[in-house]
Amino acid sequence: MKKTAPPLLAIALLSAAALAYQVLLLRLFAIVQWQHFAAMIISLALLGYAASGTFLVLSRRWLEGHFNVLFSANAILFGLSATACFLLVQQLPFNPPQLLWDADQSLYLALMYLCLALPFFFVANGIGLSFYRFRKASGKIYSADLVGAGIGAIGVLVLLLLFPPLSVLVYLSVLAILIGLLNLWRNLWFVSITLVLLTGSAIFLPAHLHFQISPYKSLSQTLQIRGSKQLQQASSPLGLLSVVASPQVPFRYAPGLSLNASQEPPPQLGIFNDGEGPIILTQYQGKPETLAYLDYLTSALPYHLRQQPKVLILGAGGGHDVLQAVYHQASAIDAVEANPQLIQLVKDDYGDFTGQLYQRPEVQLYLSSGRNFIQATQAHYDVIQLALVDDFGVANAGLSALNENYLYTQEALAQLLTRLKPDALLSITRWLKLPPRDALKLFATAVMALQQQGQQADLQLLLIRGWHTTTLLIKNGLFTSQDIQTVKDFCAERSFDIAYYPGISVQETNQYNMLQQPYFYQGAMALLSPQARQWQQAYKYAITPASDNQPYFFNFFKWRLLPELISQRGQGGLGLLEWGYPLLIITLMQAVLASLVFIILPLLLSRRHQCTSTGGKWPLLLYFFILGLAFLFIEMAFIQKFSLFLAHPLYAAALVLSSFLFFAGLGSRWASAWQLRGSQPVRWAIAGILLCALLELLLFPQLLPWLASLPNGLKLPLAIALIAPLGFFMGWPFPLGLAAIAQYQPGYVPWAWAVNGCASVISSLLASLLALHFGFQFVILAALGLYLVAAWLFPLLSYGAK
């Protein structure tokens, strides 16, 4: 019997599973690959939806007559492919650093992209068929779709708090399969048996699934060491933590340890976050002499300039920097860590191993991101330490280039300086890279932050380097001659090189860990000179200061360096290349090709949907293409903005995706329900978009820091409220455009969907590319410019109709 009413509950649950799967893929990619690939995940999901739209347009006459079976089949196929495609992708030997010299890597990337788009193709088929089959109930279907998507995006975060990621993947697959089966058969016995079988699968299947983490990640390499073993795992939306012991080849984590050190570290355990690290747990039994090696790190310098200081440590992790402060007899230590599972490991599970480090009387532990803590606290400190928490291998390969970091921006350093007492020190330690990148970009950022406050950067900065790390000191005051003599003695005893202090001469540099040239000294002097901007532009790597608008501290890529490094590939030149940017470019090129092949080409080959008239074609195509770009540009910019506010990109992606989808859907339905027609409503909508977006551009820099101290339970509804009006107006232009061409040029409706889909597929990647170059404020302004063009194009949609 044919259905007379749409299966609204099934549609809502299927939509929830689809968006939950999209957000889950961000976590899964962060674990098995080098980062969350947010732009790529959004792009491939939209490719699946857009390709489904073309498929349904070409075959809907046959499909509509088999709705019940096909809806269920697509739900089941989504459930099966969601898990199967991810497990298949895990088997691909994809390694981003090999992209430019191994042609197979581009093929693996394309296969990964297309394979993961397939589940979204199936789910879009099911929902799209519902619209075709039940046209008169399209409003109800739309509402069910949007409500389900909103629940799915937020609900998956709850699931990730309760269960491991692979278990959540299986649960989503089981839910989709259950939807498909129950939509076909409602017999009580069948329902009971189905529930039992699927529940059993959900319970037992996750135990037999395992992550195939990239063999190039630190965890994979560590577990290859004889005798190493994984002791424990803890999972949350913030990361998959793996505790590893290696008794035969023990961990010796002491970044940049002086070659003059006579003592090795005590026994240590490694904690790998999403396969990267390690974060180190150091055994401490209350004997300070076992920690003497910590005085032979470059990061120990501030403790020789300030005695028994009050210390703030951002990114406390496993407690390495806290131990260093304890060893140097800090009077009070405020330790800030964002990951509650990591805190639990250090405090509870391995509390005896670490000597109850986080429960010492002088240590106060705070659960917060570093930036949010700084924005909220009113305390002042003698020393602020920015912990070295990233993996040297990842940093050296440039694979963090696409990740935002809000602790190394001009605004962050300016805020940190306000939390220093007079003559206090901000200390930042980074891995040493050659040619210099991190240290010089950080130095340039510090110079800019000090100069913007009207301070004397040349008298307030000091930079030293060992063989493996650099440490930058920024003083809330001027370095004295006594300070400089203390630094000289500290470095001489440990064979560290001084790269810069006020009044340094070139003869005092490059004495111990000798380089061909005193590169760090030369860079520091150039960055303090009036020609600093010209020098940055001429330098091989991108070391322009990072900002909250362009928080890509780890992006050092410049195109002009590429030919030189490729010409030296036989001598290891490609090892000096930063890989995040080329990965984004190659993914964008593949997205353009995939959208043309799977969305546009089938329509071109179909006689029924070939473009026959020319009068109104190009304004129509351009209008819908622009809408696809503009919508995703704003969405991607808001993900970046809320990554700082919510302290993690996964939270930001889930909230922004669901909120924009929900409120744009409300706006779309409102515009359709009121049967708005003509150019005037489009102008109203775009005026609303301009007003909301410009207000938020002006208000965000002041409003979000003020709200940073609020708990996440309050931040989430506030963030939704900030998105709601903009999302509502952004939902108008598309249905108004569709209504116009349905009235005047109905033959172009499939093309409107197709070009909008193509734009959506590439726009998330293009927005990320533009943000790397110009910042996300530029991306938002570009989107507003596109909406203005759309307002101008709208009256032309009916051109040539008569």
Side-chain angles (χ1 to χ4, degrees):
M1 185 176 67
K2 288 187 176 182
K3 285 182 176 292
T4 57
L8 296 179
L9 179 60
I11 291 169
L13 291 174
L14 194 58
S15 181
L19 205 61
Y21 180 60
Q22 184 176 347
V23 175
L24 178 62
L25 282 177
L26 302 181
R27 282 294 314 124
L28 297 175
F29 262 79
I31 294 169
V32 300
Q33 286 296 332
W34 298 96
Q35 56 161 307
H36 51 73
F37 289 110
M40 188 184 79
I41 298 301
I42 293 171
S43 173
L44 65 85
L46 291 170
L47 174 65
Y49 276 87
S52 167
T54 298
F55 171 73
L56 292 177
V57 164
L58 297 178
S59 55
R60 69 183 184 203
R61 292 182 180 177
W62 178 82
L63 295 175
E64 284 183 55
H66 305 82
F67 169 78
N68 200 29
V69 172
L70 290 174
F71 179 88
S72 295
N74 278 285
I76 293 169
L77 287 171
F78 167 69
L80 294 173
S81 62
T83 297
C85 287
F86 175 73
L87 295 178
L88 178 62
V89 161
Q90 282 199 118
Q91 306 304 316
L92 294 175
F94 176 61
N95 186 35
Q98 294 179 297
L99 266 172
L100 291 186
W101 77 76
D102 183 357
D104 290 344
Q105 294 300 321
S106 294
L107 175 61
Y108 297 146
L109 179 61
L111 290 174
M112 182 168 64
Y113 185 84
L114 295 176
C115 187
L116 290 174
L118 188 61
F120 296 101
F121 173 80
F122 290 130
V123 77
N125 282 345
I127 295 172
L129 277 171
S130 302
F131 281 104
Y132 281 128
R133 174 65 181 82
F134 305 100
R135 293 178 181 86
K136 293 182 179 180
S138 59
K140 294 180 180 179
I141 295 171
Y142 205 49
S143 297
D145 182 24
L146 295 173
V147 170
I151 293 173
I154 303 302
V156 72
L157 298 181
V158 177
L159 290 175
L160 286 170
L161 284 170
L162 300 174
F163 305 104
L166 285 178
S167 296
V168 176
L169 176 62
V170 172
Y171 300 158
L172 294 179
S173 292
V174 166
L175 173 62
I177 294 170
L178 184 62
I179 292 168
L181 291 175
L182 295 184
N183 186 65
L184 280 176
W185 295 285
R186 305 290 178 86
N187 179 275
L188 179 62
W189 283 105
F190 178 80
V191 170
S192 302
I193 294 171
T194 299
L195 285 174
V196 169
L197 291 177
L198 291 179
T199 301
S201 300
I203 293 173
F204 295 107
L205 188 57
H208 299 282
L209 300 181
H210 303 283
F211 284 116
Q212 298 292 326
I213 296 176
S214 169
Y216 305 99
K217 276 195 163 185
S218 299
L219 176 60
S220 301
Q221 295 180 3
T222 300
L223 292 176
Q224 296 298 315
I225 298 173
R226 184 178 180 184
S228 64
K229 58 181 178 179
Q230 185 169 291
L231 303 179
Q232 187 177 347
Q233 274 194 341
S235 178
S236 78
L238 300 182
L240 179 67
L241 301 178
S242 305
V243 184
V244 175
S246 181
Q248 295 187 27
V249 183
F251 291 106
R252 290 290 181 260
Y253 182 82
L257 181 66
S258 167
L259 299 178
N260 297 353
S262 59
Q263 186 186 59
E264 64 181 23
Q268 295 177 330
L269 299 175
I271 301 179
F272 296 83
N273 189 8
D274 290 341
E276 297 174 7
I279 302 165
I280 286 297
L281 295 176
T282 301
Q283 187 177 57
Y284 183 55
Q285 298 176 334
K287 299 176 181 178
E289 61 273 15
T290 63
L291 305 178
Y293 74 99
L294 293 172
D295 194 40
Y296 281 77
L297 309 179
T298 59
S299 57
L301 176 58
Y303 298 108
H304 288 255
L305 296 170
R306 293 293 172 269
Q307 301 302 312
Q308 296 185 324
K310 181 180 180 181
V311 180
L312 171 64
I313 295 170
L314 300 179
H320 174 269
D321 294 275
V322 177
L323 275 178
Q324 189 178 53
V326 168
Y327 175 77
H328 288 98
Q329 301 179 345
S331 60
I333 305 167
D334 286 353
V336 179
E337 173 54 46
N339 192 328
Q341 276 68 33
L342 183 54
I343 291 175
Q344 181 180 342
L345 285 174
V346 180
K347 281 185 64 177
D348 301 330
D349 300 5
Y350 296 92
D352 292 338
F353 185 83
T354 61
Q356 303 299 332
L357 177 64
Y358 284 164
Q359 295 172 318
R360 292 177 63 90
E362 71 270 36
V363 177
Q364 181 67 46
L365 187 62
Y366 295 90
L367 176 62
S368 173
S369 72
R371 188 69 181 273
N372 282 353
F373 180 85
I374 286 296
Q375 292 170 335
T377 188
Q378 297 300 313
H380 291 80
Y381 300 90
D382 300 300
V383 172
I384 298 178
Q385 282 269 25
L386 262 65
L388 182 62
V389 296
D390 55 317
D391 182 4
F392 173 74
V394 172
N396 202 45
L399 290 163
S400 298
L402 304 181
N403 293 348
E404 302 95 348
N405 187 297
Y406 287 99
L407 279 178
Y408 296 138
T409 67
Q410 300 169 48
E411 294 86 349
L413 295 190
Q415 289 176 352
L416 287 165
L417 289 172
T418 65
R419 304 270 60 87
L420 290 174
K421 296 178 180 179
D423 294 324
L425 299 167
L426 169 59
S427 174
I428 309 174
T429 298
R430 292 296 314 148
W431 298 109
L432 186 148
K433 295 181 187 176
L434 293 173
R437 281 157 275 178
D438 292 48
L440 294 187
K441 189 165 188 175
L442 185 60
F443 196 93
T445 305
V447 169
M448 184 66 71
L450 289 168
Q451 289 178 345
Q452 288 178 345
Q453 294 185 346
Q455 302 195 50
Q456 298 171 277
D458 59 325
L459 301 179
Q460 295 177 249
L461 295 173
L462 192 148
L463 179 64
I464 68 172
R465 67 177 177 88
W467 63 275
H468 202 34
T469 58
T470 65
T471 293
L472 173 68
L473 296 188
I474 308 173
K475 187 176 180 181
N476 188 23
L478 307 183
F479 281 105
T480 66
S481 57
Q482 182 179 352
D483 291 336
I484 292 171
Q485 187 57 52
T486 300
V487 172
K488 289 180 178 179
D489 294 341
F490 174 86
C491 291
E493 183 179 350
R494 293 158 182 79
S495 296
F496 292 152
D497 289 284
I498 305 176
Y500 177 79
Y501 68 78
I504 193 173
S505 65
V506 67
Q507 290 78 19
E508 296 177 272
T509 66
N510 208 27
Q511 295 183 341
Y512 300 106
N513 305 283
M514 297 189 66
L515 305 175
Q516 188 175 4
Q517 296 287 332
Y519 300 117
F520 291 88
Y521 163 80
Q522 294 170 349
M525 297 302 292
L527 291 169
L528 288 166
S529 73
Q531 293 76 38
R533 184 176 296 274
Q534 294 89 328
W535 190 83
Q536 290 172 25
Q537 293 173 349
Y539 194 64
K540 285 188 173 185
Y541 291 95
I543 58 169
T544 303
S547 67
D548 283 354
N549 184 41
Q550 287 178 276
Y552 300 102
F553 177 82
F554 299 104
N555 177 39
F556 306 105
F557 181 81
K558 280 188 176 181
W559 279 107
R560 65 170 178 250
L561 182 61
L562 186 60
E564 176 186 342
L565 297 183
I566 290 178
S567 68
Q568 299 176 8
R569 57 183 294 182
Q571 293 79 42
L574 288 177
L576 302 176
L577 184 61
E578 305 290 327
W579 292 102
Y581 189 98
L583 175 62
L584 180 60
I585 292 291
I586 293 172
T587 307
L588 176 59
M589 293 168 59
Q590 292 187 347
V592 171
L593 181 61
S595 62
L596 292 175
V597 171
F598 294 104
I599 303 170
I600 299 296
L601 185 60
L603 286 176
L604 288 173
L605 296 178
S606 171
R607 293 183 179 180
R608 277 196 302 125
H609 299 286
Q610 286 181 354
C611 294
T612 55
S613 67
T614 58
K617 177 174 65 174
W618 297 114
L620 181 153
L621 298 180
L622 188 57
Y623 176 84
F624 286 99
F625 188 82
I626 281 174
L627 292 185
L629 288 179
F631 193 100
L632 267 294
F633 275 16
I634 290 180
E635 198 170 64
M636 292 299 296
F638 271 63
I639 289 176
Q640 183 265 337
K641 290 295 181 186
F642 283 105
S643 292
L644 172 59
F645 182 57
L646 300 176
H648 198 276
L650 186 70
Y651 294 151
L655 181 134
V656 169
L657 289 174
S658 60
S659 298
F660 269 109
L661 194 60
F662 180 79
F663 289 105
L666 289 182
S668 177
R669 188 176 179 190
W670 190 88
S672 301
W674 284 88
Q675 297 183 340
L676 300 176
R677 295 290 185 270
S679 301
Q680 195 64 34
V682 172
R683 295 193 184 103
W684 295 342
I686 291 177
I689 293 168
L690 290 171
L691 179 63
C692 293
L694 290 174
L695 278 175
E696 289 174 353
L697 273 177
L698 294 173
L699 292 177
F700 273 9
Q702 288 75 36
L703 185 62
L704 294 187
W706 183 64
L707 299 173
S709 60
L710 296 175
N712 281 339
L714 291 177
K715 283 183 180 180
L716 290 175
L718 282 172
I720 292 171
L722 289 170
I723 291 172
L726 178 59
F728 179 78
F729 285 115
M730 286 168 61
W732 288 30
F734 187 81
L736 292 175
L738 279 182
I741 63 171
Q743 179 179 358
Y744 296 112
Q745 303 188 79
Y748 284 106
V749 170
W751 285 96
W753 283 99
V755 297
N756 184 263
C758 281
S760 299
V761 169
I762 66 173
S763 55
S764 61
L765 298 162
L766 184 59
S768 297
L769 183 63
L770 291 173
L772 282 171
H773 280 283
F774 308 111
F776 272 100
Q777 288 183 0
F778 174 86
V779 174
I780 293 178
L781 292 174
L784 298 184
L786 291 171
Y787 274 118
L788 286 174
V789 175
W792 175 75
L793 287 171
F794 185 85
L796 303 177
L797 298 188
S798 60
Y799 176 73
K802 296 182 180 180

PDB file of all heavy atoms in Angstrom, residues 158-176:
ATOM      1  N   VAL A 158      27.322  14.640  22.628  1.00  0.00           N
ATOM      2  CA  VAL A 158      26.960  13.910  23.844  1.00  0.00           C
ATOM      3  C   VAL A 158      27.413  12.456  23.741  1.00  0.00           C
ATOM      4  O   VAL A 158      27.980  11.891  24.696  1.00  0.00           O
ATOM      5  CB  VAL A 158      25.439  13.988  24.078  1.00  0.00           C
ATOM      6  CG1 VAL A 158      25.041  13.165  25.299  1.00  0.00           C
ATOM      7  CG2 VAL A 158      25.005  15.442  24.239  1.00  0.00           C
ATOM      8  N   LEU A 159      27.190  11.841  22.585  1.00  0.00           N
ATOM      9  CA  LEU A 159      27.615  10.456  22.391  1.00  0.00           C
ATOM     10  C   LEU A 159      29.126  10.315  22.524  1.00  0.00           C
ATOM     11  O   LEU A 159      29.620   9.334  23.101  1.00  0.00           O
ATOM     12  CB  LEU A 159      27.165   9.953  21.019  1.00  0.00           C
ATOM     13  CG  LEU A 159      25.657   9.727  20.831  1.00  0.00           C
ATOM     14  CD1 LEU A 159      25.344   9.349  19.388  1.00  0.00           C
ATOM     15  CD2 LEU A 159      25.151   8.649  21.787  1.00  0.00           C
ATOM     16  N   LEU A 160      29.871  11.298  22.009  1.00  0.00           N
ATOM     17  CA  LEU A 160      31.334  11.233  22.092  1.00  0.00           C
ATOM     18  C   LEU A 160      31.841  11.419  23.519  1.00  0.00           C
ATOM     19  O   LEU A 160      32.956  11.004  23.842  1.00  0.00           O
ATOM     20  CB  LEU A 160      31.965  12.286  21.172  1.00  0.00           C
ATOM     21  CG  LEU A 160      31.902  11.962  19.677  1.00  0.00           C
ATOM     22  CD1 LEU A 160      32.320  13.166  18.849  1.00  0.00           C
ATOM     23  CD2 LEU A 160      32.794  10.765  19.339  1.00  0.00           C
ATOM     24  N   LEU A 161      31.036  12.059  24.358  1.00  0.00           N
ATOM     25  CA  LEU A 161      31.400  12.145  25.772  1.00  0.00           C
ATOM     26  C   LEU A 161      31.207  10.812  26.487  1.00  0.00           C
ATOM     27  O   LEU A 161      31.892  10.525  27.477  1.00  0.00           O
ATOM     28  CB  LEU A 161      30.553  13.217  26.464  1.00  0.00           C
ATOM     29  CG  LEU A 161      30.923  14.676  26.195  1.00  0.00           C
ATOM     30  CD1 LEU A 161      29.845  15.597  26.743  1.00  0.00           C
ATOM     31  CD2 LEU A 161      32.281  15.009  26.813  1.00  0.00           C
ATOM     32  N   LEU A 162      30.288  10.002  25.965  1.00  0.00           N
ATOM     33  CA  LEU A 162      29.920   8.753  26.642  1.00  0.00           C
ATOM     34  C   LEU A 162      30.598   7.526  26.059  1.00  0.00           C
ATOM     35  O   LEU A 162      30.850   6.550  26.790  1.00  0.00           O
ATOM     36  CB  LEU A 162      28.398   8.563  26.579  1.00  0.00           C
ATOM     37  CG  LEU A 162      27.541   9.665  27.223  1.00  0.00           C
ATOM     38  CD1 LEU A 162      26.063   9.419  26.942  1.00  0.00           C
ATOM     39  CD2 LEU A 162      27.809   9.735  28.720  1.00  0.00           C
ATOM     40  N   PHE A 163      30.894   7.557  24.733  1.00  0.00           N
ATOM     41  CA  PHE A 163      31.373   6.351  24.071  1.00  0.00           C
ATOM     42  C   PHE A 163      32.584   6.673  23.184  1.00  0.00           C
ATOM     43  O   PHE A 163      32.748   7.807  22.725  1.00  0.00           O
ATOM     44  CB  PHE A 163      30.259   5.741  23.200  1.00  0.00           C
ATOM     45  CG  PHE A 163      28.979   5.466  23.932  1.00  0.00           C
ATOM     46  CD1 PHE A 163      27.876   6.295  23.770  1.00  0.00           C
ATOM     47  CD2 PHE A 163      28.888   4.383  24.798  1.00  0.00           C
ATOM     48  CE1 PHE A 163      26.691   6.056  24.432  1.00  0.00           C
ATOM     49  CE2 PHE A 163      27.702   4.132  25.472  1.00  0.00           C
ATOM     50  CZ  PHE A 163      26.601   4.965  25.302  1.00  0.00           C
ATOM     51  N   PRO A 164      33.412   5.664  22.883  1.00  0.00           N
ATOM     52  CA  PRO A 164      34.517   5.860  21.950  1.00  0.00           C
ATOM     53  C   PRO A 164      34.008   6.167  20.544  1.00  0.00           C
ATOM     54  O   PRO A 164      32.882   5.791  20.177  1.00  0.00           O
ATOM     55  CB  PRO A 164      35.256   4.505  21.982  1.00  0.00           C
ATOM     56  CG  PRO A 164      34.818   3.852  23.245  1.00  0.00           C
ATOM     57  CD  PRO A 164      33.420   4.323  23.487  1.00  0.00           C
ATOM     58  N   PRO A 165      34.809   6.837  19.719  1.00  0.00           N
ATOM     59  CA  PRO A 165      34.344   7.252  18.388  1.00  0.00           C
ATOM     60  C   PRO A 165      33.870   6.108  17.497  1.00  0.00           C
ATOM     61  O   PRO A 165      32.872   6.245  16.794  1.00  0.00           O
ATOM     62  CB  PRO A 165      35.574   7.951  17.791  1.00  0.00           C
ATOM     63  CG  PRO A 165      36.362   8.405  18.963  1.00  0.00           C
ATOM     64  CD  PRO A 165      36.137   7.382  20.025  1.00  0.00           C
ATOM     65  N   LEU A 166      34.577   4.969  17.517  1.00  0.00           N
ATOM     66  CA  LEU A 166      34.164   3.858  16.663  1.00  0.00           C
ATOM     67  C   LEU A 166      32.827   3.278  17.118  1.00  0.00           C
ATOM     68  O   LEU A 166      32.039   2.808  16.291  1.00  0.00           O
ATOM     69  CB  LEU A 166      35.246   2.779  16.639  1.00  0.00           C
ATOM     70  CG  LEU A 166      36.492   3.093  15.807  1.00  0.00           C
ATOM     71  CD1 LEU A 166      37.504   1.964  15.902  1.00  0.00           C
ATOM     72  CD2 LEU A 166      36.123   3.346  14.341  1.00  0.00           C
ATOM     73  N   SER A 167      32.573   3.293  18.406  1.00  0.00           N
ATOM     74  CA  SER A 167      31.260   2.843  18.890  1.00  0.00           C
ATOM     75  C   SER A 167      30.164   3.773  18.399  1.00  0.00           C
ATOM     76  O   SER A 167      29.091   3.326  17.971  1.00  0.00           O
ATOM     77  CB  SER A 167      31.264   2.784  20.419  1.00  0.00           C
ATOM     78  OG  SER A 167      32.179   1.818  20.893  1.00  0.00           O
ATOM     79  N   VAL A 168      30.428   5.079  18.428  1.00  0.00           N
ATOM     80  CA  VAL A 168      29.440   6.041  17.941  1.00  0.00           C
ATOM     81  C   VAL A 168      29.181   5.816  16.451  1.00  0.00           C
ATOM     82  O   VAL A 168      28.039   5.895  15.981  1.00  0.00           O
ATOM     83  CB  VAL A 168      29.918   7.481  18.205  1.00  0.00           C
ATOM     84  CG1 VAL A 168      28.937   8.494  17.610  1.00  0.00           C
ATOM     85  CG2 VAL A 168      30.084   7.729  19.696  1.00  0.00           C
ATOM     86  N   LEU A 169      30.235   5.506  15.696  1.00  0.00           N
ATOM     87  CA  LEU A 169      30.083   5.222  14.269  1.00  0.00           C
ATOM     88  C   LEU A 169      29.142   4.033  14.051  1.00  0.00           C
ATOM     89  O   LEU A 169      28.241   4.081  13.199  1.00  0.00           O
ATOM     90  CB  LEU A 169      31.456   4.936  13.657  1.00  0.00           C
ATOM     91  CG  LEU A 169      31.482   4.535  12.179  1.00  0.00           C
ATOM     92  CD1 LEU A 169      30.928   5.653  11.306  1.00  0.00           C
ATOM     93  CD2 LEU A 169      32.901   4.169  11.750  1.00  0.00           C
ATOM     94  N   VAL A 170      29.315   2.992  14.816  1.00  0.00           N
ATOM     95  CA  VAL A 170      28.456   1.810  14.692  1.00  0.00           C
ATOM     96  C   VAL A 170      27.022   2.150  15.097  1.00  0.00           C
ATOM     97  O   VAL A 170      26.056   1.729  14.441  1.00  0.00           O
ATOM     98  CB  VAL A 170      29.001   0.661  15.556  1.00  0.00           C
ATOM     99  CG1 VAL A 170      28.018  -0.510  15.584  1.00  0.00           C
ATOM    100  CG2 VAL A 170      30.344   0.179  15.005  1.00  0.00           C
ATOM    101  N   TYR A 171      26.857   2.933  16.161  1.00  0.00           N
ATOM    102  CA  TYR A 171      25.507   3.284  16.615  1.00  0.00           C
ATOM    103  C   TYR A 171      24.760   4.070  15.532  1.00  0.00           C
ATOM    104  O   TYR A 171      23.560   3.850  15.310  1.00  0.00           O
ATOM    105  CB  TYR A 171      25.567   4.116  17.897  1.00  0.00           C
ATOM    106  CG  TYR A 171      26.225   3.421  19.058  1.00  0.00           C
ATOM    107  CD1 TYR A 171      26.773   4.146  20.115  1.00  0.00           C
ATOM    108  CD2 TYR A 171      26.317   2.032  19.118  1.00  0.00           C
ATOM    109  CE1 TYR A 171      27.378   3.522  21.189  1.00  0.00           C
ATOM    110  CE2 TYR A 171      26.931   1.397  20.184  1.00  0.00           C
ATOM    111  CZ  TYR A 171      27.468   2.147  21.213  1.00  0.00           C
ATOM    112  OH  TYR A 171      28.083   1.528  22.266  1.00  0.00           O
ATOM    113  N   LEU A 172      25.442   4.990  14.862  1.00  0.00           N
ATOM    114  CA  LEU A 172      24.798   5.754  13.798  1.00  0.00           C
ATOM    115  C   LEU A 172      24.416   4.844  12.632  1.00  0.00           C
ATOM    116  O   LEU A 172      23.340   4.990  12.035  1.00  0.00           O
ATOM    117  CB  LEU A 172      25.724   6.870  13.313  1.00  0.00           C
ATOM    118  CG  LEU A 172      26.031   7.985  14.319  1.00  0.00           C
ATOM    119  CD1 LEU A 172      26.989   9.005  13.711  1.00  0.00           C
ATOM    120  CD2 LEU A 172      24.755   8.673  14.781  1.00  0.00           C
ATOM    121  N   SER A 173      25.293   3.898  12.305  1.00  0.00           N
ATOM    122  CA  SER A 173      24.976   2.953  11.235  1.00  0.00           C
ATOM    123  C   SER A 173      23.775   2.087  11.604  1.00  0.00           C
ATOM    124  O   SER A 173      22.872   1.863  10.779  1.00  0.00           O
ATOM    125  CB  SER A 173      26.197   2.060  10.951  1.00  0.00           C
ATOM    126  OG  SER A 173      27.246   2.808  10.380  1.00  0.00           O
ATOM    127  N   VAL A 174      23.750   1.606  12.824  1.00  0.00           N
ATOM    128  CA  VAL A 174      22.640   0.769  13.284  1.00  0.00           C
ATOM    129  C   VAL A 174      21.337   1.566  13.262  1.00  0.00           C
ATOM    130  O   VAL A 174      20.274   1.050  12.865  1.00  0.00           O
ATOM    131  CB  VAL A 174      22.935   0.225  14.696  1.00  0.00           C
ATOM    132  CG1 VAL A 174      21.672  -0.360  15.327  1.00  0.00           C
ATOM    133  CG2 VAL A 174      24.026  -0.838  14.623  1.00  0.00           C
ATOM    134  N   LEU A 175      21.396   2.833  13.679  1.00  0.00           N
ATOM    135  CA  LEU A 175      20.192   3.668  13.669  1.00  0.00           C
ATOM    136  C   LEU A 175      19.646   3.805  12.246  1.00  0.00           C
ATOM    137  O   LEU A 175      18.431   3.671  12.025  1.00  0.00           O
ATOM    138  CB  LEU A 175      20.523   5.051  14.237  1.00  0.00           C
ATOM    139  CG  LEU A 175      19.403   6.098  14.141  1.00  0.00           C
ATOM    140  CD1 LEU A 175      18.175   5.654  14.941  1.00  0.00           C
ATOM    141  CD2 LEU A 175      19.897   7.463  14.626  1.00  0.00           C
ATOM    142  N   ALA A 176      20.527   4.065  11.284  1.00  0.00           N
ATOM    143  CA  ALA A 176      20.073   4.225   9.898  1.00  0.00           C
ATOM    144  C   ALA A 176      19.478   2.932   9.350  1.00  0.00           C
ATOM    145  O   ALA A 176      18.440   2.945   8.665  1.00  0.00           O
ATOM    146  CB  ALA A 176      21.235   4.695   9.027  1.00  0.00           C
TER     147      ALA A 176
END
